[in-house]
Amino acid sequence: MNVNKEVTQSFVRIKAIVIDTVSMAYFFTVLNHVLLNFSKNKRYFYEFSWHSHSLGWLCGIIFGLLWFFSRHSLGYKLCGLINTETSSCWQALRILFVWSLILATFSTGLILTQFSFNDLFDRQGIKGAGRIFLAMLHPKWSIFNGVLIAIVETVYIALISTILAIPTAFVLSFLAAKNIMGKGRLKHLIYMGIRIFINFFRSIEPLIWAIVFSVWVGIGPFAGMLALMVNSVVGLIKLYSEQIANIDSELVLAIKNTGASSVHVMWFGVVPQIISPFLALTIYRWDLNVRMATVIGLVGGGGVGTLLMQYQGLAKWNEVGLIVMMIALVVCIMDYFSARIREII
Amino acid sequence: MLKVSGLNKSFQDGLSALREINFEINRGDFVSIVGLSGSGKSTLLKCLNRTIQPTCGRIILKGVDITSLEESDLKEIKKKIGMISQQFNLINKYSVLTNVLTGALGRLGILSPILNLWPKELRDQALNYLGIVGIREKCDSSVDTLSGGQRQRVAMARALMQEPELFLADEPIANLDPITASVVMDYLHQINQKYGLTILCTLHTLELARHYSSRIIAMQRGQIIFDRQSRDFHKISKELVYSEG
């Protein structure tokens, strides 16, 4: 019992040391960065080198350790190692440090995003933006037919990508649901494998898939459709499997207790419970895909996005205005109907 | 017909739900199990059809030891044990007839039920059982439109569809009002009397148990405290069964 307590105690102390040194090292690094920005020789700021930061880290680690051994550090406090404190000085120091950390982070953020009021309120800049807005508010109706065809293409890209994603997602979602997979070792391995697969592929944006597929099958709607399909498969597996995880297990048991085979248990115990939510989720996915199809068009995925990219490249803002308005209209309509259908289901 | 000996069930948290359960049931008996919530009634029933795996002990149904069966042989035994419970556990939005037909899944191949192709003789059988529980005219309705009592009768017809040797009823009337409850119990009694089906039913009230069953088993804290013919049961005070022990 005592040994256990000692182990826990030293583990907590290690945690406190890590908190102290890392936070201090971070503080000095960020401070260094801010100072470099204001130094005359900005070369160090733009050309990152491990060397220019080593001093900051060294200082951070030394100060962090010193603070830790004073037994009044931030790490001590956060890990609950300080029970009673006589001097309020240490507490003030900790609060000051946290605020400095927040402030330094915020300033670094401003520097890295090159935030500038001068640019924001630059007379020339505002004039240029105003010109574009004005042009967009006077859309060029002569290209209406072309835009309409492109938008229909976009809606169909989204539709086909959703439909093609359904069968794969449907089958795999059962393997990704913990309550279906049970406790067997092999089943658990399959479950974990699919979960890792989903999480990995979900972190890849459809925009990147579109770039991959436009190299694979060539620029155009096919590449865009494939990109959205891959993204929809992983997205739907996750949503479907969450639905499956929430089903009423009593009904499943009742069907199982009739001596039914596992396929029948799935079909009569699980499927009736998930069919409505699946339909709602699929329609929502189509709605989402219409929006994404527009973005994917920008990198050569076909549809209205590609058209938008072309006119934008030629700086034809009146045409861009019409396209933007029509996209907004279609997205609104899709959004409305998808919400209504989901309500009915 | 059914012999339970030395049955124990302890859960992982150390809770001992069943302790040394021993009893025997003859063919055609209507046995009620009474006791407070948490006395182990439901756990006992769930052990009998192996929804829950007992810790130790034997359950022998018609000479077959259920406790030692492998998963594959278990299906055959489950077919012989029909079960209804307080939540009815019917498939919502499906018709009454389809719900009843699912009771025959153990007898059918994979494909035909999925394609909704049920053999004519099974349909007739299902309609016959719906007639027995008095809701044949509702066969095409969706189960969502039925009342609680009607749903329980559909669940009974589904269990009958298994052509069971043993019929387990886990608090079949717990969610029903008194009048509906007595209707459901009447049908259960009728099934026992007319068709000689062996019924094991957990109940909350002693009056109902005494009225419908031939024998009463009283449980308290996972143990059987009384096991008598129901006509002898008036000798035992109610307070004893419903005390905390």
Side-chain angles (χ1 to χ4, degrees):
Chain A
M1 199 67 189
N2 261 341
V3 177
N4 251 343
K5 207 172 175 183
E6 261 173 44
V7 171
T8 331
Q9 194 68 14
S10 34
F11 181 72
V12 171
R13 282 171 66 85
I14 290 170
K15 222 162 76 178
I17 285 196
V18 171
I19 291 174
D20 283 335
T21 49
V22 169
S23 64
M24 204 55 109
Y26 171 75
F27 176 69
F28 276 100
T29 311
V30 169
L31 196 69
N32 185 28
H33 209 72
V34 175
L35 292 178
L36 279 175
N37 180 51
F38 292 113
S39 74
K40 278 181 187 155
N41 192 351
K42 281 209 171 189
R43 191 169 62 86
Y44 290 113
F45 181 75
Y46 290 111
E47 287 172 19
F48 177 86
S49 75
W50 294 100
H51 176 72
S52 73
H53 285 287
S54 54
L55 188 69
W57 291 339
L58 200 68
C59 284
I61 289 165
I62 291 169
F63 277 103
L65 284 174
L66 281 177
W67 202 22
F68 172 79
F69 286 115
S70 76
R71 290 168 176 270
H72 293 280
S73 67
L74 184 70
Y76 252 73
K77 182 73 188 173
L78 288 180
C79 292
L81 291 169
I82 300 175
N83 295 325
T84 48
E85 207 168 30
T86 44
S87 161
S88 61
C89 248
W90 288 109
Q91 195 184 351
L93 189 67
R94 281 196 300 270
I95 292 171
L96 189 72
F97 177 66
V98 170
W99 274 109
S100 316
L101 216 60
I102 292 169
L103 199 69
T105 305
F106 184 65
S107 340
T108 312
L110 288 184
I111 293 165
L112 286 179
T113 52
Q114 301 183 2
F115 188 87
S116 150
F117 278 111
N118 279 344
D119 289 348
L120 193 61
F121 296 111
D122 180 60
R123 194 176 286 264
Q124 277 313 103
I126 290 175
K127 228 174 164 180
R131 205 170 55 239
I132 289 175
F133 267 116
L134 208 67
M136 280 165 75
L137 287 174
H138 295 88
K140 192 161 189 177
W141 292 97
S142 62
I143 60 158
F144 180 83
N145 292 345
V147 178
L148 191 68
I149 290 170
I151 277 203
V152 169
E153 193 178 286
T154 296
V155 172
Y156 273 86
I157 288 173
L159 179 68
I160 294 299
S161 63
T162 313
I163 291 174
L164 290 182
I166 294 171
T168 320
F170 184 83
V171 174
L172 291 181
S173 64
F174 282 89
L175 304 179
K178 203 164 196 172
N179 53 340
I180 299 289
M181 293 310 279
K183 286 183 184 132
R185 185 175 282 181
L186 179 71
K187 284 177 174 177
H188 187 71
L189 218 66
I190 294 172
Y191 164 80
M192 286 304 288
I194 290 183
R195 282 272 144 184
I196 291 169
F197 163 83
I198 299 171
N199 285 334
F200 177 69
F201 277 84
R202 259 166 64 85
S203 61
I204 303 174
E205 286 293 317
L207 208 66
I208 294 167
W209 285 118
I211 294 167
V212 171
F213 280 116
S214 57
V215 173
W216 189 341
V217 299
I219 284 174
F222 187 41
M225 191 278 286
L226 288 175
L228 284 178
M229 188 192 73
V230 172
N231 196 246
S232 299
V233 167
V234 281
L236 283 176
I237 290 177
K238 191 169 165 64
L239 292 175
Y240 284 176
S241 61
E242 276 163 11
Q243 276 303 324
I244 297 171
N246 288 328
I247 58 167
D248 173 18
S249 58
E250 290 288 321
L251 173 61
V252 181
L253 264 181
I255 301 289
K256 209 175 186 171
N257 281 341
T258 64
S261 67
S262 37
V263 176
H264 285 156
V265 173
M266 284 287 165
W267 189 255
F268 289 99
V270 181
V271 172
Q273 294 194 61
I274 55 174
I275 207 81
S276 296
F278 271 31
L279 221 69
L281 290 171
T282 310
I283 288 168
Y284 171 66
R285 187 73 215 184
W286 178 28
D287 178 24
L288 203 70
N289 277 351
V290 170
R291 286 168 218 211
M292 278 207 257
T294 313
V295 179
I296 277 176
L298 300 179
V299 293
V304 75
T306 304
L307 201 66
L308 180 68
M309 199 64 187
Q310 283 165 7
Y311 282 113
Q312 179 266 333
L314 297 170
K316 291 190 169 176
W317 302 113
N318 302 83
E319 283 82 347
V320 169
L322 181 75
I323 294 172
V324 169
M325 269 166 56
M326 286 179 69
I327 290 173
L329 189 71
V330 168
V331 167
C332 273
I333 294 171
M334 284 292 297
D335 195 47
Y336 174 75
F337 279 105
S338 126
R340 282 305 298 275
I341 293 171
R342 275 182 281 147
E343 258 172 41
I344 294 166
I345 291 170
Chain B
M1 161 100 193
L2 176 73
K3 189 180 177 193
V4 177
S5 54
L7 194 71
N8 280 276
K9 174 68 193 175
S10 311
F11 287 106
Q12 274 182 341
D13 55 7
L15 180 80
S16 161
L18 294 177
R19 286 182 285 182
E20 283 301 311
I21 302 288
N22 297 293
F23 64 88
E24 239 178 281
I25 290 178
N26 300 320
R27 176 177 281 279
D29 277 357
F30 189 132
V31 180
S32 289
I33 304 176
V34 293
L36 286 174
S37 302
S39 58
K41 310 185 295 282
S42 288
T43 310
L44 173 59
L45 250 55
K46 283 176 182 160
C47 280
L48 292 182
N49 73 351
R50 281 274 304 267
T51 303
I52 293 178
Q53 178 68 28
T55 313
C56 65
R58 286 170 169 278
I59 300 164
I60 294 162
L61 180 68
K62 289 191 85 183
V64 181
D65 186 354
I66 302 178
T67 31
S68 59
L69 286 180
E70 289 295 317
E71 194 71 31
S72 50
D73 301 319
L74 208 58
K75 268 183 200 150
E76 288 306 310
I77 285 296
K78 278 183 185 279
K79 272 189 234 172
K80 292 181 187 167
I81 306 174
M83 185 166 187
I84 58 171
S85 69
Q86 57 176 315
Q87 293 99 356
F88 322 128
N89 296 325
L90 299 172
I91 311 168
N92 285 328
K93 290 181 186 166
Y94 278 35
S95 75
V96 166
L97 187 64
T98 309
N99 266 286
V100 175
L101 283 164
T102 55
L105 283 174
R107 283 186 269 158
L108 289 165
I110 295 284
L111 216 55
S112 58
I114 289 177
L115 298 173
N116 206 18
L117 299 170
W118 307 87
K120 173 134 189 352
E121 59 269 24
L122 281 184
R123 282 173 173 275
D124 291 343
Q125 199 182 3
L127 287 172
N128 178 38
Y129 287 133
L130 279 172
I132 289 172
V133 293
I135 43 168
R136 191 185 170 136
E137 74 284 358
K138 292 273 185 191
C139 66
D140 291 323
S141 313
S142 160
V143 288
D144 319 44
T145 62
L146 302 185
S147 69
Q150 289 171 326
R151 285 182 197 206
Q152 191 58 289
R153 278 141 70 191
V154 175
M156 276 161 72
R158 177 176 67 187
L160 288 174
M161 205 59 196
Q162 288 172 240
E163 297 175 332
E165 308 266 355
L166 177 67
F167 195 105
L168 305 176
D170 186 12
E171 304 274 3
I173 52 167
N175 284 339
L176 305 176
D177 64 79
I179 295 169
T180 320
S182 64
V183 172
V184 167
M185 287 306 292
D186 282 341
Y187 279 115
L188 209 57
H189 190 241
Q190 202 180 325
I191 291 166
N192 169 252
Q193 294 295 311
K194 270 194 185 166
Y195 304 94
L197 196 61
T198 315
I199 296 180
L200 197 57
C201 176
T202 62
L203 288 170
H204 258 107
T205 56
L206 261 178
E207 286 75 21
L208 281 173
R210 212 152 38 195
H211 187 255
Y212 287 103
S213 50
S214 51
R215 182 172 145 204
I216 298 175
I217 294 174
M219 286 183 73
Q220 198 178 62
R221 295 186 163 195
Q223 282 176 313
I224 293 179
I225 52 169
F226 292 110
D227 181 356
R228 305 260 172 94
Q229 294 300 310
S230 46
R231 59 175 177 276
D232 300 333
F233 212 81
H234 62 274
K235 293 170 193 161
I236 302 146
S237 78
K238 206 189 249 182
E239 286 74 27
L240 207 56
V241 177
Y242 290 114
S243 69
E244 291 291 338

